[in-house]
Amino acid sequence: MKELKELNDGSNHSREDEEGDTSFPQSEEEKEEEEEEESSESNHDDDISPKVMPLLKYGRIPMDPMASRESSSSSCSFSVPCKCSTLGRVILDSARLGMTLDPATVPSMQQGTRTFSVLALALEDGSIHLINATNGQAICKSDQLKVKADGTRVDVVSMCFDSGANYLGVLTVDGDVAVFELKYGLVASTTSSSDTTAGTGGNSKINNTFGMGLKQERPEKKLFDSFLSRLAGDDRGGRIGGGGGGMGILLGDGGASNAVDGNIGAQELPLMATVGRQGVNDSDEDNENNNITSTDATTFSLCLIQPVSVARFTYKTHGSNIIGTCLAIDPAYRCKKEKGIIAGFSDGRLIYTKRSAHGGVAADDRGFGGVMGSLLQPKRYDLDLYQSVGVSGIEAVAWRGSLLSWADESGIKIFDIEKMSRIAHIDRPSGARASLYPHISSLSPTLVFERSDSLLICWGDCLMNMAIVNKSRTGSGDIDVNGKSGSRMTVRCEMAWEMDCVGCGVQPIDDEFVAVLGLSSATSSGDGLEDEDGKDLNRNENENDPIDSLGQYFVELQIIKRSDGSMISSDVLPLAVNDLSKITKPSTKDIVLASSFCTPRMEDTAEADGEDAMVEESTEVDIQNIIMSTMVSSIKEEQPKNVFTDQHMKWNMNGYRRAIFDDYYQQDDTEQESCVSSVSSDDSDDYTFLFRPNKTTPCSTKMLTNIPNMIVRSRDDLVLAQFRDVDDAIDHAQLTRKYGLVLRYGLNHRQMLRRHSLQTVIEDYLNAVLNPSETLEDYESPRLLSIRRLNIAAKAAPILIGGNIELWERWVNEFSTIPGGLLILRPHVPVRDPKLSPQIYNSFLQKMFSEIAEMLSKETAGSKHDTEYIHSNAVDLFLAAVRAWGTSSSLRDRIKLHQKFLEGNMSRSNKSEEQIRLLCEAESALANRMQQSATIYLQLDPSIAQGTRDNSDYFLSSVLPPTGPTYDCLFDLRTMQTFFTKELNKMKSSKDDNRFHSTKLAILETLSDLYYIDGDTRNALLSYLVVGSEYAIDILEDMSNTALQQVLKDDVSVFSDSKLNCRFKHVLTFIQSAELHKLLTDPEAIGSLKVPPIVSLICLVGLQNAGPFIVDHCVLPDSKGYSSQVGRGAICFPIHMVANQLKNYPKLLLWLLHNILVNRPEIYVNFPNTAVPPTTVTKLHKAHFDLLVAFDDKSYVPDRRLSDILSFEEIRKESSMLKFLKAALPHGGIRSDDVRKTLEWHRRGKKDVSDKVELSNFKVLFPHLFAHELAYVIERSSKGSEEDSREVLLLYLEGVVSLPHAVEYAERNLPHSSILWDTLVSFCLDPNQSGGEGSSSLDGKLFGSLMEVAARSGANLAHLVSKIPKNMRIDGIRHRLVAAISDYQTKLKLHENTFQIISSDKIDLLREHCHRSRRGTRVDLYSSRQDLIPDTHKDEDTIEIILKPWKEGKARLASKRQMRQSRNIGVVKSYYDIGMNLPSSLEIQ
């Protein structure tokens, strides 16, 4: 303990200065130095770890109720020095308070109890004051507590309360004793808001409602009370319920009631700003069950009910030198018939007085005298309990239940007052001698029974704790206090520490800590403590410093841990002194420490019974349950009794600190890094705690509200010490601008806020997040607001604002001043609970659009890709707001739209991420519209902690969508349509069209969404098409080239739709669901767009999506499906109308016709319902051919040599032109001769075809161009001449560069096969004709390839082998011939086996047919036995059919048979020919 002498981070000097105490004035220079130090400290964010907040707070309690702090000339609490004091605890229950009241007149009273700390003070002028210990309000007038009936001035030396503070015992120097009977009640006062300021007196307006609610008692009872009062000398007649002033008194103990002076209850506690709770008159800090509440205007104050009954008697002092020193009355004084009083005197006597009754009389009446007065006095019995041997008297006495303890010069005694047996004697500690402390005049011990079995002792520098235990006489060990009769009480020392101060008082705090009030020597304790400048830290240069004035000592309040004696808190108390000249040496008895946790107590069983009775009285009684429980329960069944627990054992200081303010600082380093550094690494405060699970240490309501109140009293001053609460923690956090920590305190304990408003705390938090430069984070330079902080503020808004519409409007305006603020706030704006006004949503959207339009029109720094990404995201967020705030039915339809699109396109290799995003966005918006609630107010939303769902796995919303159209649009639809229409017109009238191009597109898309929300599908689609026409300016050329490449290469993989096309894919499903196909061919729509509707649609959704849609819905012009639906809106496109829209876009037209040819041949080249194709289709054939020729690829050269052998896939591959020619030539739209001539001229590089010019005059410039197509046309249209056959062969060899095609043609053309083979062999043997395949005629590489291809196609290899020149070298000819022969043999075997299988199958089929045909042989009905089938096959069983005669009898059957036989007379039997040549054995007759 001696080593732990340093104070707790700055003594009470700095704390008092912050709280505005006048005891420590500062000079201007000192203030400037402190401000510089604070600013320099605040400029280091790394060191921003604010010191732990001091544990206790202090405030001075003035005794002058009418004086304010400003008008008071002295800072002391007492104008007259105080001699002694005592603290009691009063508990008032609502059942007793309301039993004489009309319930209708007491609306604010509820079931429960209320606890008050009552402080009795005796001044040197002989007056006794009774005040509320927590706020300084006077409970009664000082003249109501008179020790002597005549009011003679007395010198009070000791006072003591009983257990419930119902009786107050007073002892004077002369040995006079007065015991006051105190009855408490509550006075109701109505105080205006302007009168609730601390320090104003006399402004309370008393409400007479409760006085009017008092029930009238019966006159017989009044008469009986009056008679007994007069008989006992206490005149109570005519005072029941009487008195002036009109104040209603709530009785605490029943009985009489007189009016109290109107000034009582009007005085507010003029404590410092950080002490107490503003606006609360009653003490509820130590309240266990504080359920009595009042309205904002009505408060209840504790008062004393007059008259006060006083019992007076006197001890014989046997001399003027013998004086009274201490007094203790029985804690069960009220309950026992024999009233016990213990008095100690300076001659060492300890007298135990028993009185048969209280015997008190009214304080203002002397009662009857004479014989009657003496007869009515209670019997009194005095017993000298102890006589000290030395010259010292009794210095202190304590009484708890049956245990009594006192101290004199020899030591401390513990005594059992019931058994009248001595328990223990404890010698006086060696450090408890005044001679060891020259700066102190005398040392007085402090004895405190903290429990029924525990005694705290503070004497000198010694702190001890003695446990009183029962031990069996056999030595079996410790047992409970209520042990067996054979046990004896002993004392065990559980704590003994040497302190670094002289103890003036000790009080328990909890089971781990005690509070010690001590006197410390300024010279001894501060040796060597100097600051950096060499100044003595124990000296204050201010001459008015009370510590400096007191000179040699100062008072400090320490909190000491019981287990190791360590001091965890130490505060120097600047107690004020009226007259310094009167102070020579202080005495420990002049400085007293009292606590509401340690007041007089009875036996634990009596206290427990009292608590049970209090609970029963404050609880409604259910008679039926009591009767039923009595009937079913056993008579001998004993209910378990409640165990009494002292107040300090119910409270835990560490738990309170963690719950209130220390939990943030007690976290380990890893948790600090995870919650602050990782989440908000660039902030000095944790703003994101709202979005994490609350890890605040749970704490009961009793622990948070049942805190101890400690009173420090000196001769001239009275100070209230309290543990700091949530308001103090908020004040401390605000000093360092830790508004995240402030909000955390406020939310965790919002019901305990008194000085601060939760609304103000929330506003400070949001302001701190949105204004980083105003916090401590601007230590280097003013910081800009980051998107991360914006997200934090927006995410916290619904949690902190809840359903307050006014606050939402205010913070929406606040976010609108921040660039990008509305975009981030939008997902968190409420849409259901609460639903804001349409004007707020209108203004929100308009401001958001204005901000986006400004951003789109400006050129931003950075890459083009990044800029486009930012702009696209901003527009997406804005459109999401428009859709989400539309009608619920539009969200439902939009969900169905996206779902239908995804279901129909999942099988395609199509990008659907954007559509899945839009679907999830719509589902989330609809769920928000159906489920959003303000229930997340001030608590965590479960959906915030969850991660975002994966867009690749979209799902249906669990919310039941609305049925039918709804009209619940959050914004004004017409207003928004008008606003965006005006904005669009401004864009159109602007000359700088390129600058506003992106903004125009955003407006058009917004208008389409607004029309969709309104249910106007036609205008919605038109707006979408306008968007597509605007996009066509930028992407049409690239899209046309992509379409051409897809046709020429016949490859769909060339498509690569942009994100722009992906976001509009659902428009196709929208057209289908709304049946808006006709709009795409409507002349009106064509005239309103820059490009045709089909082109706009292609630019909007992309080639990959628009192609299948248009092709699938194309029909013939005279289709019945189209003509029957023209009147009601066709759901298809006539092919000629679509072609007409694309005639100015030849590449797109070619792409469309090619897709129709490939995917819909039934409407283009295959006509199942007509033999003659429509004229419009044949015209399209001609246009298709012209386009294919026009967009020919003259630069095409095959990337192979003639000797390369093509695979079967390459052989079967056909170009787009060849496919078209094969399909279209039979229909006559184009003729073979015209095609041949056109292709030949294009091969020669001529576009103008003239019949007068001979082709032979021009050389072929592009031998590979249309070679395959021309060969096909010549083969198809020629008359089979040898010249044409040679030309076709040369086209395959030179143009197509393919030996397989040439060999197949030679084999296919039977009339000229031999000539073609000779030509082919000669071509392969001629090195000049072979294109340089070989360097000489002896190189047989090309000829070897010819042999291999011929063998594969089944040609005559013997003829080719005979054509091989001598000395020709063919690599691998042996292997090739062997492989060719092997292949031939395999093919031959395949053919033979196939023929055998076919022949076998044919015979089996014929046999089965014959077998089935013989089943039709006629059956004779009545033959005894008839073979249905001739016995030709032995392996077949004979079938016998037995037919039963019909009901008409055999005669009728016989007549029918005869008739049939007569008809067949003369009929010649003939053979039945089944059309097959069968063996004679199988012929059927």
Side-chain angles (χ1 to χ4, degrees), residues 713-737:
R713 180 198 59 81
S714 65
R715 286 176 53 87
D716 300 315
D717 209 354
L718 185 63
V719 175
L720 172 65
Q722 289 180 322
F723 284 87
R724 293 186 180 268
D725 53 11
V726 178
D727 292 298
D728 302 310
I730 291 177
D731 289 336
H732 186 263
Q734 286 178 343
L735 291 177
T736 53
R737 297 182 181 179

Side-chain angles (χ1 to χ4, degrees), residues 1234-1247:
D1234 297 336
V1235 172
R1236 178 177 180 180
K1237 187 181 296 186
T1238 302
L1239 296 180
E1240 287 179 345
W1241 279 108
H1242 274 76
R1243 284 166 56 84
R1244 287 166 173 80
K1246 303 296 182 181
K1247 294 184 179 180

Side-chain angles (χ1 to χ4, degrees), residues 66-103:
M66 300 302 295
S68 63
R69 291 295 301 268
E70 291 78 3
S71 61
S72 178
S73 59
S74 174
S75 61
C76 300
S77 296
F78 304 113
S79 57
V80 178
C82 181
K83 292 282 291 181
C84 61
S85 62
T86 185
L87 185 67
R89 194 163 180 262
V90 178
I91 301 178
L92 300 180
D93 62 287
S94 60
R96 285 185 171 184
L97 291 175
M99 65 184 178
T100 59
L101 297 175
D102 185 3

Side-chain angles (χ1 to χ4, degrees), residues 635-936:
I635 298 177
K636 296 182 180 181
E637 182 180 358
E638 296 183 0
Q639 297 294 334
K641 293 185 178 180
N642 187 18
V643 179
F644 175 75
T645 305
D646 288 273
Q647 291 296 313
H648 70 280
M649 300 300 293
K650 300 178 183 179
W651 194 69
N652 183 269
M653 187 183 70
N654 284 333
Y656 179 81
R657 292 176 63 185
R658 286 192 298 267
I660 296 299
F661 53 86
D662 269 357
D663 186 54
Y664 179 79
Y665 302 104
Q666 298 298 330
Q667 295 175 351
D668 54 8
D669 297 336
T670 58
E671 187 175 357
Q672 285 280 5
E673 292 177 0
S674 62
C675 70
V676 178
S677 301
S678 61
V679 178
S680 54
S681 57
D682 55 344
D683 296 334
S684 61
D685 198 3
D686 180 17
Y687 296 115
T688 60
F689 74 95
L690 284 171
F691 319 125
R692 299 192 304 271
N694 189 4
K695 295 183 180 180
T696 303
T697 305
C699 193
S700 63
T701 306
K702 290 184 178 180
M703 182 176 293
L704 296 177
T705 58
N706 189 29
I707 60 176
N709 295 318
M710 292 183 288
I711 305 296
V712 179
R713 180 198 59 81
S714 65
R715 286 176 53 87
D716 300 315
D717 209 354
L718 185 63
V719 175
L720 172 65
Q722 289 180 322
F723 284 87
R724 293 186 180 268
D725 53 11
V726 178
D727 292 298
D728 302 310
I730 291 177
D731 289 336
H732 186 263
Q734 286 178 343
L735 291 177
T736 53
R737 297 182 181 179
K738 299 285 187 180
Y739 295 104
L741 188 60
V742 169
L743 180 63
R744 182 180 178 183
Y745 291 153
L747 292 181
N748 290 338
H749 310 287
R750 51 183 176 271
Q751 296 179 351
M752 299 177 60
L753 295 179
R754 295 297 182 268
R755 297 195 306 272
H756 294 87
S757 170
L758 184 59
Q759 192 63 42
T760 305
V761 170
I762 292 173
E763 290 180 1
D764 292 342
Y765 169 83
L766 293 176
N767 284 324
V769 175
L770 295 177
N771 299 280
S773 296
E774 296 182 3
T775 61
L776 286 180
E777 297 149 13
D778 56 351
Y779 56 93
E780 292 181 354
S781 60
R783 297 180 51 206
L784 298 178
L785 181 61
S786 62
I787 297 179
R788 183 187 58 81
R789 295 177 72 103
L790 264 179
N791 279 319
I792 293 174
K795 200 174 179 181
I799 302 176
L800 301 179
I801 299 177
N804 194 325
I805 297 179
E806 295 181 357
L807 285 181
W808 273 112
E809 185 174 359
R810 172 191 169 185
W811 285 106
V812 165
N813 293 332
E814 185 72 20
F815 272 84
S816 64
T817 60
I818 303 172
L822 295 179
L823 294 174
I824 296 177
L825 178 65
R826 200 283 307 169
H828 308 285
V829 174
V831 294
R832 176 180 172 270
D833 181 22
K835 185 181 291 186
L836 308 180
S837 63
Q839 290 76 16
I840 297 179
Y841 294 106
N842 291 345
S843 176
F844 196 105
L845 292 175
Q846 291 173 4
K847 291 179 180 178
M848 191 189 301
F849 172 76
S850 300
E851 185 176 342
I852 293 176
E854 184 179 358
M855 178 178 61
L856 294 176
S857 60
K858 289 183 178 180
E859 295 183 0
T860 57
S863 63
K864 182 179 180 181
H865 179 269
D866 294 340
T867 303
E868 291 179 353
Y869 178 78
I870 294 173
H871 291 178
S872 177
N873 284 347
V875 174
D876 288 343
L877 292 174
F878 172 72
L879 294 174
V882 175
R883 296 166 187 149
W885 291 350
T887 59
S888 301
S889 57
S890 66
L891 290 173
R892 172 203 61 199
D893 296 338
R894 191 176 293 275
I895 291 173
K896 293 180 180 179
L897 201 65
H898 294 297
Q899 288 174 350
K900 186 176 180 181
F901 172 81
L902 292 172
E903 290 171 1
N905 292 270
M906 272 301 181
S907 60
R908 302 181 183 178
S909 57
N910 203 354
K911 293 183 179 179
S912 301
E913 288 80 4
E914 187 70 16
Q915 289 298 312
I916 294 175
R917 182 189 68 82
L918 294 175
L919 172 62
C920 296
E921 182 183 281
E923 286 181 346
S924 177
L926 181 59
N928 205 26
R929 293 290 294 273
M930 298 291 106
Q931 297 178 345
Q932 184 268 327
S933 174
T935 54
I936 64 171

Side-chain angles (χ1 to χ4, degrees), residues 1300-1329:
H1301 285 92
V1303 172
E1304 286 181 0
Y1305 178 70
E1307 287 290 315
R1308 186 170 61 244
N1309 193 347
L1310 297 178
H1312 306 91
S1313 179
S1314 59
I1315 299 174
L1316 295 177
W1317 272 110
D1318 293 338
T1319 305
L1320 186 57
V1321 170
S1322 300
F1323 187 88
C1324 293
L1325 293 175
D1326 187 2
N1328 296 327
Q1329 297 296 333

